[in-house]
Amino acid sequence: MLETLDAAAVRRWCASGLAALQRHQGEIDDLNVYPVPDGDTGTNLVLTLTSAQQALAMDLETLPEDGHTPHGHALRLMARGALLGARGNSGVILSQILRGFADALAAAPAVRGRQLAAALADAATAAYAAVAHPVEGTLLTVVAAAARAAEQADTDDLRAVARAAAGGAARALARTPEQLPALARAGVVDAGGRGLCLLLDALVEVVTGESPARPAPAPPAVRQPATAVRETGSSAYAYEVQYLLDATDEAVARLRGELDGLGDSLVIVGDGGTWNVHVHVNDVGAAVEAGVVAGRPHRITVTRFADQVAPAAPLPAPLPDGRAAVVVATGAGIAELFAAEGATVVPANPSTGELLDAIRATGAARVVVLPNDPNTQSVASAAAREAHRLGVKVSVVPTRSPVQALAALAVRDPKRRFEDDVIAMAEAAGACRYAEVCHASKEALTVAGPCRPGDVLALVEGEVHLIGADLLDTCTAMVDRMLGGGGELVTLLCGADAPAGLADRVREHVERSWPFVEVQAYEGGQPHYPLLVGVE
């Protein structure tokens, strides 16, 4: 049993937590409430903590020059490794929790009960600080409950505080279905919160030598998942404004209030005086001016959400020195398409470190990153912040599908200023509506009605619009629905499991039913999704 948390205990905690996540990886993945085969919270947490453990394998005997204690140095390494290896939203939030934990304890002479409680409070604050309007019933709720329980223990006994924190987290996890309707309908608890509970139980085991006896939440006999909560914001706002801001904490606190009154989807993440500001507004000038008042904004990007057809453009000329594009790709065919456009390709579900390595490998001073997946956007933003510290100017265009990235790459113009080129790419991506077809992996209740395993699901911009039994019929019905809203160009990307001739038959249908619409079809090779569709 430990009286204080030392560097060796930090290393054991990381290893024990990783082992617990690996044992329960499938269980956490299965807590996904969306009925498509991409529930990977458990996988992302495992990969994130694996990177943290690899960082801890570095020399712990040599202290950094800033005089941090051995345990503080170990925690810094763990947090830094998690940041560079963060996968998906859950991994990024976990890295923020570990960063807050490490910052609080880096210089503490000893880590006893009250120091642990204070560190958990800072960890919760770091996690919540990233989002203007946090959603309760998530990983955020669980870490906040752990911090409150640790504070209420009000003792220097490290073992008592660790047990209290783990118990508070477990109780909060059990209540997440009461706070988030999507979890209640699915009959599950929050996946990220479940992962955090395993990490806190691992801490208890390291500190006390005893393993908490906490059974895993039992899955329901019949699942009825609904669409997961998505941070898409209101359609009332026409522009997305993003910029880096050099400012004080006090100035950013005032900026939060001002931007919150201008729009929604407000997210401000800071580290060392540099802040990443994101908001959806109608008054772009006011949003940028607020940043000027608060400090020094730079890398300003503006995305217009108007649904308009992007003009056709020839393939871009070879990129000049100093400018590059990094694109995340799933599938060999999609990777070849991006490479042909002159982009550096990174395999799907990358870590922050992998994206940062790709950015640096381009040798360019100005880089645009296209994540092509909502779950990779936070990873791309973290890599961009790290690259900024190395003197590389990086802009993330928030593409959610490979078809949007193709539209963005098609309008690149090296003769434009980099900032103007990024805006043009973001507008082209936003004007490309995207959809995907897959087979349901579980029984679920979607916005389009109930589905069973094996049913064909057509998702338009992330939402289930059609449920069918025949793949081709569902694909053609989905394309018809999308073209009903207008469009001049349809892009088809066939997946690795698509039946032979699927793209040809969809193309023939479009040519018969929509004679003035151009169709481009490629072999994408992506898993899980027999067909990806873009309409411009």
Side-chain angles (χ1 to χ4, degrees):
M1 294 186 292
L2 298 178
E3 299 294 333
T4 65
L5 191 68
D6 56 19
V10 170
R11 192 158 22 183
R12 293 198 304 274
W13 174 36
C14 187
S16 179
L18 176 58
L21 287 173
Q22 289 170 332
R23 288 194 302 271
H24 296 273
Q25 180 175 337
E27 169 208 320
I28 298 174
D29 281 345
D30 197 45
L31 293 177
N32 179 46
V33 299
Y34 212 52
V36 295
D38 59 358
D40 53 5
T41 297
T43 300
N44 286 337
L45 290 174
V46 165
L47 293 172
T48 299
L49 208 62
T50 296
S51 181
Q53 188 182 43
Q54 290 170 348
L56 277 172
M58 298 171 59
D59 183 12
L60 289 178
E61 301 301 323
T62 303
L63 295 181
E65 293 181 0
D66 56 10
H68 289 164
T69 59
H71 63 261
H73 183 41
L75 288 167
R76 289 277 195 182
L77 288 174
M78 184 177 175
R80 177 71 174 174
L83 172 65
L84 294 180
R87 309 269 183 152
N89 291 330
S90 56
V92 170
I93 293 175
L94 176 61
S95 73
Q96 289 287 310
I97 291 171
L98 293 176
R99 181 184 65 81
F101 196 84
D103 287 350
L105 297 176
V111 181
R112 296 187 173 86
R114 287 188 171 85
Q115 287 80 22
L116 176 61
L120 285 169
D122 283 5
T125 299
Y128 269 90
V131 183
H133 302 286
V135 176
E136 296 301 331
T138 64
L139 172 56
L140 298 176
T141 306
V142 177
V143 70
R148 286 194 301 271
E151 182 182 12
Q152 290 166 2
D154 193 24
T155 176
D156 280 330
D157 188 330
L158 181 66
R159 294 160 294 182
V161 173
R163 289 192 184 104
R171 291 188 294 273
L173 177 68
R175 292 193 299 269
T176 55
E178 302 170 13
Q179 299 168 298
L180 200 56
L183 298 176
R185 289 191 292 268
V188 297
V189 295
D190 178 69
R194 171 62 173 151
L196 181 65
C197 285
L198 290 171
L199 288 182
L200 292 175
D201 283 346
L203 179 62
V204 171
E205 186 173 2
V206 167
V207 170
T208 67
E210 303 169 359
S211 179
R214 265 190 268 275
V222 178
R223 288 175 175 262
Q224 293 183 326
T227 302
V229 173
R230 297 175 185 270
E231 298 175 355
T232 54
S234 168
S235 60
Y237 299 103
Y239 297 91
E240 177 190 60
V241 177
Q242 290 181 272
Y243 49 82
L244 288 179
L245 179 71
D246 296 334
T248 64
D249 292 358
E250 293 77 11
V252 169
R254 293 191 295 270
L255 178 66
R256 287 182 190 275
E258 186 165 352
L259 292 182
D260 197 26
L262 289 175
D264 70 358
S265 294
L266 176 61
V267 178
I268 301 180
V269 178
D271 187 4
T274 299
W275 307 82
N276 191 313
V277 180
H278 168 284
V279 67
H280 292 181
V281 295
N282 286 325
D283 191 340
V284 174
V288 175
E289 183 179 352
V292 173
V293 172
R296 186 179 73 87
H298 49 103
R299 278 183 50 203
I300 301 170
T301 62
V302 178
T303 301
R304 182 162 54 88
F305 295 127
D307 187 16
Q308 62 181 24
V309 178
L315 291 176
L319 290 174
D321 292 340
R323 191 181 295 194
V326 173
V327 189
V328 179
T330 302
I334 294 175
E336 290 177 5
L337 289 172
F338 290 145
E341 295 285 354
T344 297
V345 179
V346 178
N349 199 27
S351 68
T352 306
E354 288 169 345
L355 269 182
L356 181 60
D357 288 344
I359 291 169
R360 298 180 65 185
T362 65
R366 294 166 294 176
V367 180
V368 62
V369 177
L370 307 173
N372 296 337
D373 173 20
N375 207 33
T376 305
Q377 288 184 25
S378 54
V379 175
S381 296
R385 290 193 295 273
E386 292 299 308
H388 175 70
R389 293 175 179 152
L390 301 174
V392 182
K393 187 174 188 177
V394 178
S395 289
V396 179
V397 175
T399 51
R400 292 173 169 261
S401 171
V403 293
Q404 290 187 315
L406 289 173
L409 291 171
V411 302
R412 281 188 303 170
D413 184 352
K415 297 178 182 179
R416 283 193 291 243
R417 286 192 323 128
F418 177 70
E419 292 78 7
D420 294 338
D421 208 28
V422 170
I423 291 174
M425 294 175 70
E427 289 179 344
C432 178
R433 285 167 287 147
Y434 67 94
E436 52 216 0
V437 178
C438 67
H439 291 89
S441 60
K442 60 187 70 172
E443 186 174 348
L445 179 63
T446 76
V447 295
C451 70
R452 298 182 300 275
D455 283 349
V456 182
L457 305 182
L459 295 88
V460 179
E461 308 212 336
E463 301 287 355
V464 177
H465 276 222
L466 295 169
I467 301 173
D470 181 80
L471 178 62
L472 177 62
D473 289 346
T474 306
C475 290
T476 55
M478 178 185 69
V479 173
D480 286 343
R481 179 167 295 194
M482 295 179 73
L483 287 174
E488 298 176 357
L489 172 64
V490 173
T491 301
L492 306 175
L493 296 177
C494 271
D497 300 326
L502 177 64
D504 291 336
R505 296 177 71 180
V506 174
R507 181 205 298 270
E508 292 168 0
H509 171 81
V510 173
E511 290 173 347
R512 287 194 308 268
S513 304
W514 308 89
F516 299 107
V517 174
E518 179 184 353
V519 181
Q520 296 178 345
Y522 306 96
E523 290 296 328
Q526 69 273 4
H528 305 312
Y529 298 93
L531 190 67
L532 301 179
V533 179
V535 173
E536 302 174 55

